[in-house]
Coordinates of all heavy atoms in Angstrom, one line a residue:
M95 N -24.0 4.6 -14.0 CA -24.9 4.3 -12.9 C -26.1 3.5 -13.4 O -26.7 3.9 -14.3 CB -25.4 5.6 -12.3 CG -26.3 5.5 -11.1 SD -26.7 7.0 -10.2 CE -27.8 7.8 -11.4
D96 N -26.3 2.3 -12.7 CA -27.4 1.5 -13.1 C -28.7 2.0 -12.4 O -28.6 2.3 -11.2 CB -27.2 0.1 -12.8 CG -26.1 -0.5 -13.7 OD1 -25.9 0.0 -14.7 OD2 -25.6 -1.6 -13.2
V97 N -29.7 2.1 -13.1 CA -31.0 2.7 -12.5 C -32.1 1.6 -12.8 O -32.1 1.0 -13.9 CB -31.4 4.0 -13.2 CG1 -32.7 4.4 -12.8 CG2 -30.3 5.0 -12.9
F98 N -32.8 1.3 -11.8 CA -33.7 0.3 -11.9 C -35.2 0.8 -11.6 O -35.5 1.8 -11.0 CB -33.5 -0.8 -10.8 CG -32.2 -1.4 -10.9 CD1 -31.1 -1.0 -10.3 CD2 -32.0 -2.5 -11.8 CE1 -29.8 -1.6 -10.4 CE2 -30.8 -3.1 -11.9 CZ -29.7 -2.6 -11.3
C99 N -36.1 0.2 -12.5 CA -37.4 0.5 -12.5 C -38.1 0.5 -11.0 O -37.9 -0.6 -10.4 CB -38.3 -0.3 -13.4 SG -39.9 -0.1 -13.4
P100 N -38.8 1.6 -10.6 CA -39.3 1.5 -9.2 C -40.6 0.5 -9.2 O -40.9 0.1 -8.1 CB -39.9 2.9 -9.1 CG -40.0 3.5 -10.5 CD -39.0 2.8 -11.2
K101 N -41.1 0.1 -10.3 CA -42.3 -0.8 -10.3 C -41.8 -2.3 -10.4 O -42.3 -3.1 -9.7 CB -43.1 -0.4 -11.4 CG -44.6 -0.7 -11.2 CD -45.5 0.2 -12.1 CE -46.0 -0.7 -13.2 NZ -46.8 0.1 -14.2
C102 N -40.9 -2.6 -11.4 CA -40.6 -4.1 -11.7 C -39.1 -4.4 -11.3 O -38.8 -5.5 -11.4 CB -40.9 -4.3 -13.1 SG -39.8 -3.6 -14.3
Q103 N -38.3 -3.3 -11.0 CA -37.0 -3.5 -10.6 C -36.1 -4.0 -11.8 O -35.0 -4.5 -11.6 CB -36.8 -4.6 -9.4 CG -37.7 -4.2 -8.2 CD -37.5 -2.8 -7.7 OE1 -36.4 -2.4 -7.6 NE2 -38.6 -2.2 -7.3
H104 N -36.6 -3.9 -13.0 CA -35.7 -4.2 -14.2 C -34.8 -2.9 -14.4 O -35.2 -1.9 -14.1 CB -36.5 -4.5 -15.4 CG -37.0 -5.9 -15.5 ND1 -38.0 -6.4 -14.7 CD2 -36.7 -6.9 -16.3 CE1 -38.3 -7.6 -15.0 NE2 -37.4 -8.0 -15.9
E105 N -33.7 -3.2 -15.0 CA -32.7 -2.1 -15.3 C -33.4 -1.3 -16.4 O -34.0 -1.7 -17.3 CB -31.5 -2.7 -15.8 CG -30.3 -1.6 -15.8 CD -29.0 -2.3 -16.0 OE1 -28.8 -3.5 -15.8 OE2 -28.2 -1.6 -16.6
M106 N -33.3 0.0 -16.2 CA -33.8 1.0 -17.2 C -32.8 1.5 -18.1 O -31.6 1.5 -17.8 CB -34.6 2.1 -16.5 CG -35.7 1.7 -15.6 SD -36.9 3.0 -15.2 CE -35.9 3.8 -13.9
V107 N -33.2 1.9 -19.3 CA -32.3 2.6 -20.2 C -32.5 4.0 -20.3 O -33.6 4.5 -20.2 CB -32.3 1.9 -21.6 CG1 -31.9 0.4 -21.6 CG2 -33.7 2.0 -22.2
W108 N -31.4 4.8 -20.6 CA -31.5 6.2 -20.8 C -32.0 6.5 -22.2 O -31.3 6.0 -23.2 CB -30.1 6.8 -20.6 CG -30.0 8.3 -20.8 CD1 -29.4 8.9 -21.9 CD2 -30.5 9.3 -19.9 NE1 -29.6 10.3 -21.6 CE2 -30.2 10.5 -20.5 CE3 -31.2 9.3 -18.7 CZ2 -30.6 11.8 -19.9 CZ3 -31.6 10.5 -18.1 CH2 -31.3 11.7 -18.7
Q109 N -33.0 7.2 -22.4 CA -33.6 7.4 -23.7 C -34.2 8.8 -23.8 O -35.2 9.1 -23.0 CB -34.7 6.4 -23.9 CG -35.0 6.1 -25.3 CD -35.9 4.9 -25.5 OE1 -37.1 5.0 -25.2 NE2 -35.4 3.7 -26.0
Q110 N -33.7 9.6 -24.7 CA -34.3 10.9 -24.9 C -34.6 11.7 -23.6 O -35.6 12.3 -23.4 CB -35.7 10.8 -25.7 CG -35.4 10.2 -27.1 CD -36.8 9.7 -27.7 OE1 -37.8 9.7 -27.1 NE2 -36.6 9.1 -28.8
G111 N -33.5 11.7 -22.8 CA -33.6 12.7 -21.6 C -34.3 12.1 -20.5 O -34.4 12.7 -19.4
D112 N -34.9 10.8 -20.6 CA -35.6 10.2 -19.5 C -35.1 8.7 -19.4 O -34.4 8.2 -20.3 CB -37.0 10.2 -19.7 CG -37.6 11.6 -19.8 OD1 -37.4 12.3 -18.7 OD2 -38.2 12.0 -20.8
Y113 N -35.5 8.1 -18.3 CA -35.2 6.7 -18.1 C -36.4 6.0 -18.6 O -37.5 6.3 -18.4 CB -34.9 6.3 -16.7 CG -33.5 6.8 -16.3 CD1 -33.3 8.0 -15.6 CD2 -32.4 6.0 -16.6 CE1 -32.0 8.4 -15.3 CE2 -31.1 6.4 -16.3 CZ -30.9 7.6 -15.6 OH -29.7 8.0 -15.2
F114 N -36.2 4.8 -19.3 CA -37.3 4.0 -19.9 C -37.1 2.6 -19.4 O -36.1 2.0 -19.6 CB -37.2 4.2 -21.4 CG -38.3 3.6 -22.1 CD1 -39.5 4.2 -22.2 CD2 -38.2 2.3 -22.8 CE1 -40.6 3.6 -22.8 CE2 -39.2 1.7 -23.4 CZ -40.5 2.4 -23.4
C115 N -38.2 2.0 -19.0 CA -38.3 0.6 -18.6 C -38.9 -0.1 -19.7 O -40.1 0.1 -20.1 CB -39.1 0.4 -17.4 SG -39.3 -1.3 -17.0
Q116 N -38.1 -1.0 -20.4 CA -38.6 -1.8 -21.6 C -39.6 -2.8 -21.1 O -40.3 -3.3 -21.8 CB -37.4 -2.4 -22.3 CG -36.6 -1.4 -23.0 CD -35.3 -1.9 -23.6 OE1 -34.6 -2.7 -23.0 NE2 -34.9 -1.3 -24.7
H117 N -39.5 -3.2 -19.8 CA -40.4 -4.2 -19.3 C -41.8 -3.6 -19.1 O -42.8 -4.2 -19.6 CB -39.8 -4.7 -18.0 CG -40.6 -5.9 -17.5 ND1 -41.5 -5.9 -16.5 CD2 -40.5 -7.2 -17.8 CE1 -41.9 -7.1 -16.3 NE2 -41.4 -7.9 -17.1
C118 N -41.9 -2.4 -18.6 CA -43.2 -1.8 -18.4 C -43.6 -0.9 -19.5 O -44.7 -0.5 -19.6 CB -43.1 -0.9 -17.1 SG -42.7 -1.7 -15.6
Q119 N -42.7 -0.7 -20.5 CA -42.9 0.3 -21.5 C -43.4 1.6 -21.0 O -44.4 2.2 -21.4 CB -44.0 -0.3 -22.5 CG -43.5 -1.5 -23.2 CD -42.4 -1.2 -24.3 OE1 -42.6 -0.3 -25.2 NE2 -41.3 -1.9 -24.2
Q120 N -42.6 2.1 -20.0 CA -42.9 3.3 -19.3 C -41.7 4.2 -19.2 O -40.6 3.7 -18.8 CB -43.5 3.0 -18.0 CG -43.9 4.2 -17.1 CD -44.9 5.0 -17.7 OE1 -46.1 4.6 -17.9 NE2 -44.7 6.3 -18.0
A121 N -41.8 5.5 -19.4 CA -40.8 6.4 -19.2 C -40.8 7.0 -17.8 O -41.9 7.2 -17.3 CB -40.7 7.5 -20.2
Y122 N -39.7 7.2 -17.2 CA -39.6 7.8 -15.8 C -38.7 9.1 -15.8 O -37.7 9.0 -16.5 CB -39.1 6.8 -14.8 CG -40.0 5.7 -14.6 CD1 -39.9 4.5 -15.4 CD2 -41.0 5.7 -13.6 CE1 -40.8 3.4 -15.1 CE2 -41.8 4.7 -13.4 CZ -41.8 3.5 -14.1 OH -42.6 2.5 -13.9
Q123 N -39.1 10.1 -15.2 CA -38.3 11.2 -15.0 C -37.5 11.1 -13.7 O -38.0 10.7 -12.6 CB -39.1 12.5 -14.9 CG -39.3 13.2 -16.2 CD -40.2 14.4 -16.0 OE1 -41.1 14.5 -15.3 NE2 -39.8 15.4 -16.8
Q124 N -36.2 11.4 -13.7 CA -35.4 11.4 -12.5 C -35.5 12.7 -11.7 O -35.4 13.8 -12.3 CB -34.0 11.1 -12.9 CG -33.1 10.9 -11.7 CD -31.6 10.8 -12.1 OE1 -31.0 11.8 -12.6 NE2 -31.0 9.7 -11.8
H125 N -35.8 12.5 -10.5 CA -35.8 13.7 -9.6 C -34.7 13.6 -8.6 O -34.5 12.5 -8.0 CB -37.2 13.7 -8.8 CG -38.4 14.2 -9.7 ND1 -39.4 15.0 -9.2 CD2 -38.6 13.9 -11.0 CE1 -40.1 15.2 -10.2 NE2 -39.8 14.5 -11.3
A126 N -34.0 14.6 -8.3 CA -33.0 14.7 -7.2 C -33.5 15.5 -6.1 O -33.8 16.6 -6.2 CB -31.7 15.2 -7.9
D127 N -33.5 14.9 -5.0 CA -34.1 15.5 -3.8 C -33.0 15.6 -2.7 O -32.1 14.7 -2.7 CB -35.3 14.7 -3.2 CG -36.5 14.7 -4.2 OD1 -36.6 15.7 -4.9 OD2 -37.2 13.7 -4.2
C128 N -33.2 16.5 -1.8 CA -32.2 16.8 -0.7 C -32.4 15.7 0.3 O -33.6 15.5 0.8 CB -32.5 18.2 -0.1 SG -31.5 18.5 1.3
P129 N -31.3 15.1 0.8 CA -31.6 14.1 1.9 C -31.9 14.7 3.2 O -32.3 13.9 4.1 CB -30.1 13.5 2.0 CG -29.2 14.5 1.5 CD -30.0 15.3 0.4
D130 N -31.7 16.1 3.4 CA -32.1 16.7 4.7 C -33.5 17.1 4.7 O -34.1 17.1 5.8 CB -31.1 17.8 4.9 CG -29.6 17.2 5.1 OD1 -29.5 16.2 5.7 OD2 -28.7 17.9 4.7
C131 N -33.9 17.7 3.6 CA -35.3 18.3 3.7 C -36.3 17.7 2.7 O -37.4 18.0 2.8 CB -35.2 19.9 3.4 SG -34.6 20.3 1.9
G132 N -35.7 16.8 1.8 CA -36.6 16.1 0.9 C -37.2 17.0 -0.2 O -38.0 16.6 -0.9
K133 N -36.6 18.2 -0.3 CA -37.1 19.1 -1.4 C -36.2 18.9 -2.6 O -35.1 18.5 -2.6 CB -37.0 20.6 -0.9 CG -38.0 20.9 0.2 CD -39.3 21.2 -0.2 CE -40.4 21.4 0.8 NZ -40.0 21.7 2.1
P134 N -36.7 19.3 -3.8 CA -36.0 19.2 -5.0 C -34.7 20.0 -5.0 O -34.7 21.1 -4.5 CB -36.9 19.7 -6.1 CG -38.3 19.7 -5.6 CD -38.1 19.8 -4.1
L135 N -33.6 19.4 -5.5 CA -32.3 20.2 -5.6 C -32.2 20.8 -6.9 O -32.8 20.4 -7.9 CB -31.2 19.2 -5.5 CG -31.2 18.4 -4.1 CD1 -30.1 17.3 -4.2 CD2 -30.8 19.4 -3.0
Q136 N -31.4 21.9 -6.9 CA -31.1 22.5 -8.2 C -29.9 21.8 -8.8 O -29.0 21.5 -8.1 CB -30.7 24.0 -8.0 CG -31.9 24.9 -7.7 CD -31.5 26.3 -7.4 OE1 -30.4 26.7 -7.4 NE2 -32.6 27.1 -7.1
E137 N -29.8 21.6 -10.1 CA -28.7 21.0 -10.7 C -27.8 22.1 -11.3 O -28.3 23.0 -12.1 CB -29.1 20.1 -11.8 CG -29.9 18.9 -11.3 CD -30.3 17.9 -12.4 OE1 -29.8 18.1 -13.5 OE2 -31.0 16.9 -12.1
L138 N -26.6 22.1 -10.9 CA -25.6 23.0 -11.5 C -24.6 22.4 -12.3 O -23.9 21.4 -11.8 CB -24.9 23.8 -10.3 CG -25.8 24.3 -9.2 CD1 -24.9 24.9 -8.0 CD2 -26.6 25.6 -9.8
K139 N -24.7 22.7 -13.7 CA -23.7 21.9 -14.5 C -22.5 22.7 -14.7 O -22.4 23.9 -15.0 CB -24.4 21.7 -15.9 CG -25.6 20.8 -15.7 CD -26.3 20.4 -17.0 CE -27.3 19.4 -16.7 NZ -28.6 19.8 -17.1
A140 N -21.4 22.1 -14.4 CA -20.1 22.7 -14.5 C -19.1 21.6 -15.0 O -19.0 20.6 -14.4 CB -19.7 23.2 -13.1
C141 N -18.3 22.0 -16.0 CA -17.3 21.2 -16.5 C -17.7 19.7 -16.8 O -16.9 18.8 -16.4 CB -16.1 21.2 -15.6 SG -15.5 22.9 -15.3
G142 N -18.8 19.5 -17.3 CA -19.3 18.1 -17.6 C -19.7 17.4 -16.4 O -20.2 16.3 -16.6
A143 N -19.6 18.0 -15.2 CA -20.1 17.3 -14.0 C -21.3 18.0 -13.5 O -21.5 19.2 -13.8 CB -19.0 17.3 -12.9
I144 N -22.2 17.4 -12.8 CA -23.3 18.0 -12.2 C -23.2 18.2 -10.7 O -22.9 17.1 -10.0 CB -24.6 17.3 -12.5 CG1 -24.9 17.2 -14.1 CG2 -25.8 17.9 -11.8 CD1 -26.1 16.4 -14.5
D145 N -23.4 19.3 -10.2 CA -23.4 19.6 -8.7 C -24.8 19.8 -8.4 O -25.7 20.3 -9.1 CB -22.6 20.7 -8.4 CG -21.0 20.4 -8.6 OD1 -20.6 19.3 -8.3 OD2 -20.3 21.3 -8.9
Y146 N -25.1 19.4 -7.0 CA -26.5 19.5 -6.6 C -26.5 20.5 -5.5 O -25.6 20.5 -4.6 CB -27.1 18.2 -6.2 CG -27.2 17.2 -7.3 CD1 -26.2 16.4 -7.6 CD2 -28.3 17.3 -8.1 CE1 -26.3 15.5 -8.8 CE2 -28.5 16.4 -9.2 CZ -27.5 15.5 -9.5 OH -27.6 14.7 -10.6
F147 N -27.4 21.4 -5.5 CA -27.5 22.5 -4.6 C -28.9 22.6 -3.9 O -29.9 22.6 -4.7 CB -27.2 23.8 -5.3 CG -27.2 25.0 -4.3 CD1 -26.2 25.3 -3.5 CD2 -28.4 25.8 -4.4 CE1 -26.3 26.4 -2.6 CE2 -28.4 27.0 -3.6 CZ -27.3 27.2 -2.7
C148 N -29.0 22.7 -2.6 CA -30.3 22.7 -1.9 C -30.6 24.2 -1.8 O -29.9 24.9 -1.1 CB -30.3 22.0 -0.6 SG -31.8 22.3 0.2
P149 N -31.7 24.7 -2.4 CA -32.1 26.1 -2.1 C -32.6 26.4 -0.8 O -32.9 27.6 -0.5 CB -33.1 26.4 -3.3 CG -33.6 25.0 -3.6 CD -32.6 24.0 -3.2
N150 N -32.8 25.4 0.1 CA -33.4 25.6 1.3 C -32.4 25.7 2.5 O -32.7 25.3 3.6 CB -34.5 24.6 1.6 CG -35.6 24.6 0.5 OD1 -36.3 25.6 0.4 ND2 -35.9 23.5 -0.2
G151 N -31.2 26.0 2.2 CA -30.2 26.2 3.2 C -29.3 25.1 3.5 O -28.5 25.2 4.5
H152 N -29.3 24.0 2.8 CA -28.5 22.9 2.9 C -27.2 22.9 2.1 O -26.3 22.0 2.1 CB -29.1 21.6 2.9 CG -30.3 21.5 3.8 ND1 -31.6 21.5 3.6 CD2 -30.2 21.3 5.2 CE1 -32.4 21.3 4.6 NE2 -31.5 21.3 5.7
G153 N -27.1 23.8 1.3 CA -25.8 24.1 0.4 C -25.7 23.1 -0.6 O -26.6 22.4 -1.1
M154 N -24.4 22.8 -0.9 CA -24.0 21.8 -1.9 C -24.2 20.4 -1.3 O -23.9 20.1 -0.2 CB -22.6 21.9 -2.3 CG -22.2 23.3 -2.9 SD -23.1 23.7 -4.4 CE -22.3 22.4 -5.5
I155 N -24.9 19.5 -2.1 CA -25.1 18.2 -1.7 C -24.3 17.2 -2.5 O -24.3 17.2 -3.7 CB -26.6 17.8 -1.8 CG1 -27.5 18.8 -1.1 CG2 -26.8 16.4 -1.2 CD1 -27.4 18.8 0.4
S156 N -23.4 16.4 -1.8 CA -22.6 15.4 -2.5 C -23.5 14.5 -3.3 O -24.6 14.0 -2.8 CB -21.6 14.7 -1.5 OG -21.4 13.4 -2.0
K157 N -23.1 14.1 -4.5 CA -23.9 13.2 -5.3 C -24.2 11.9 -4.6 O -25.3 11.3 -4.8 CB -23.2 12.9 -6.6 CG -24.2 12.3 -7.6 CD -23.7 12.2 -9.0 CE -24.7 11.5 -9.9 NZ -24.2 10.9 -11.1
K158 N -23.3 11.5 -3.7 CA -23.5 10.2 -2.9 C -24.7 10.4 -2.1 O -25.3 9.4 -1.6 CB -22.3 9.9 -2.2 CG -21.1 9.4 -2.9 CD -20.0 8.8 -2.1 CE -19.3 9.8 -1.3 NZ -18.0 10.2 -1.7
R159 N -25.0 11.6 -1.6 CA -26.1 11.8 -0.7 C -27.4 12.1 -1.3 O -28.5 12.1 -0.6 CB -25.7 12.9 0.4 CG -24.5 12.6 1.2 CD -24.2 13.6 2.2 NE -25.3 13.7 3.1 CZ -26.0 14.8 3.6 NH1 -25.5 16.0 3.1 NH2 -27.0 14.8 4.4
V160 N -27.4 12.5 -2.6 CA -28.6 12.8 -3.3 C -29.6 11.8 -3.2 O -29.2 10.6 -3.5 CB -28.3 13.3 -4.7 CG1 -29.6 13.5 -5.5 CG2 -27.5 14.6 -4.7
V161 N -30.8 12.0 -3.0 CA -31.9 10.9 -3.0 C -32.6 11.1 -4.4 O -33.3 12.0 -4.6 CB -32.9 11.3 -1.9 CG1 -34.0 10.2 -2.0 CG2 -32.3 11.2 -0.5
F162 N -32.3 10.0 -5.1 CA -33.0 10.0 -6.5 C -34.3 9.3 -6.4 O -34.4 8.3 -5.8 CB -32.1 9.4 -7.5 CG -30.9 10.1 -7.9 CD1 -29.6 9.7 -7.4 CD2 -30.9 11.3 -8.6 CE1 -28.4 10.5 -7.6 CE2 -29.8 12.0 -8.9 CZ -28.5 11.7 -8.5
S163 N -35.3 9.8 -7.1 CA -36.5 9.1 -7.2 C -37.0 9.2 -8.6 O -36.5 10.0 -9.4 CB -37.6 9.7 -6.3 OG -37.8 11.1 -6.6
Y164 N -37.9 8.2 -9.0 CA -38.3 8.1 -10.4 C -39.8 8.3 -10.5 O -40.5 7.5 -9.9 CB -37.8 6.9 -11.0 CG -36.2 6.9 -10.9 CD1 -35.5 6.4 -9.8 CD2 -35.5 7.5 -12.0 CE1 -34.2 6.4 -9.8 CE2 -34.1 7.6 -11.9 CZ -33.5 7.1 -10.8 OH -32.1 7.2 -10.7
V165 N -40.2 9.2 -11.3 CA -41.6 9.5 -11.3 C -42.1 9.2 -12.8 O -41.5 9.6 -13.8 CB -41.9 11.0 -11.0 CG1 -43.4 11.3 -11.1 CG2 -41.3 11.3 -9.6
V166 N -43.2 8.6 -12.8 CA -43.9 8.2 -14.1 C -44.1 9.4 -14.9 O -44.6 10.4 -14.5 CB -45.2 7.5 -13.9 CG1 -46.0 7.3 -15.2 CG2 -45.0 6.1 -13.3
K167 N -43.6 9.3 -16.2 CA -43.8 10.4 -17.1 C -45.1 10.3 -17.8 O -45.3 9.2 -18.5 CB -42.5 10.5 -18.0 CG -42.4 11.8 -18.7 CD -41.3 11.9 -19.6 CE -41.3 13.2 -20.4 NZ -40.5 13.3 -21.5
E168 N -45.9 11.3 -17.8 CA -47.2 11.2 -18.6 C -47.0 11.3 -20.1 O -46.3 12.2 -20.5 CB -48.1 12.3 -18.1 CG -48.4 12.2 -16.6 CD -49.1 11.0 -16.1 OE1 -49.8 10.3 -17.0 OE2 -49.0 10.7 -14.9
Ligands
ZN315 ZN1 -40.5 -1.6 -15.1
ZN316 ZN1 -32.3 20.7 1.9

């Protein structure tokens, strides 16, 4: 999955558990949010795959529907 910097739209690289934009020299944390309520999803790791679960009653969310956002890491 290619991930692009929210600020400069350059492609980011995966580095030490976060995404890193070499252009901005800035690390970003990936957040997975529910497309229905906008609240953070729980990540359930199973068999090398990650499933996303909404604790607010929307159940399992298909990865295609997950809303990913990237937040500047301090
Ligand atoms: Zn950038
Ligand atoms: Zn939800």
Side-chain angles (χ1 to χ4, degrees):
M95 184 171 69
D96 290 340
V97 173
F98 298 94
C99 176
K101 214 160 101 186
C102 71
Q103 311 305 319
H104 279 72
E105 200 173 327
M106 296 198 282
V107 295
W108 178 252
Q109 202 174 75
Q110 293 161 4
D112 292 302
Y113 286 97
F114 185 76
C115 176
Q116 289 170 323
H117 191 258
C118 300
Q119 292 292 306
Q120 176 65 60
Y122 292 90
Q123 264 181 325
Q124 187 186 59
H125 287 218
D127 296 325
C128 176
D130 295 326
C131 64
K133 297 274 171 29
L135 297 172
Q136 287 177 1
E137 291 183 11
L138 308 173
K139 293 188 176 115
C141 304
I144 297 178
D145 288 324
Y146 295 93
F147 178 79
C148 177
N150 298 303
H152 297 111
M154 301 296 293
I155 306 291
S156 151
K157 197 174 178 198
K158 286 194 291 258
R159 297 187 61 228
V160 173
V161 179
F162 291 106
S163 58
Y164 299 91
V165 177
V166 169
K167 198 181 176 195
E168 303 296 337

